[in-house]
Amino acid sequence: MSPTVSAVVRLQNIGTGKFLDDDKAFISQEHFAQYIQARMLAGDVSHGTLGDPIYAPAFQPEFLPLALNKADCVQFRANPERCTPEYACWLLNSPSTLALAGGLIAGQTRPRISMGRLAELIIPKPQFTYNAWLFPP
């Protein structure tokens, strides 16, 4: 990646539990600088709010240290004192969480999960020792 462009994470980059690197998109640094609130870091867990599948959390890889999330893509940044990003991605892709997320899908013409509905999703907080044991550094 050139220092004059920044990567953009789009729906087609988010696979169930994995980041899909086949379809790359970039924007200028000037454009990127306008969207501080949409910056994604390596280790963030991203997921789409529409598409197929509608809800498919993926872990942003280390080779993409900084990116911009595009419309209909949102991210979760784990608090490192409470949960590892790997555990968060694993938990968000668990069958029980996927079933809960499926209940939040709405839309007359295009099924989607809004940010407000996603905020209703209750994720259990694990003991840090357990998620560190499951996903050691």
Side-chain angles (χ1 to χ4, degrees), residues 6 16 26 51 60 65 73-74 81 107:
S6 294
T16 303
F26 301 93
Q60 184 166 322
C73 299
V74 294
E81 294 178 7

Side-chain angles (χ1 to χ4, degrees), residues 42-45 59 62 76-92 123-137:
D44 284 353
V45 177
F59 186 71
E62 294 296 324
F76 168 78
R77 186 167 298 141
N79 177 339
E81 294 178 7
R82 300 177 137 212
C83 178
T84 63
E86 295 87 356
Y87 183 83
C89 189
W90 174 79
L91 185 63
L92 291 170
I123 304 295
K125 178 188 165 280
Q127 288 189 344
F128 189 78
T129 53
Y130 176 73
N131 71 75
W133 169 78
L134 190 59
F135 297 97

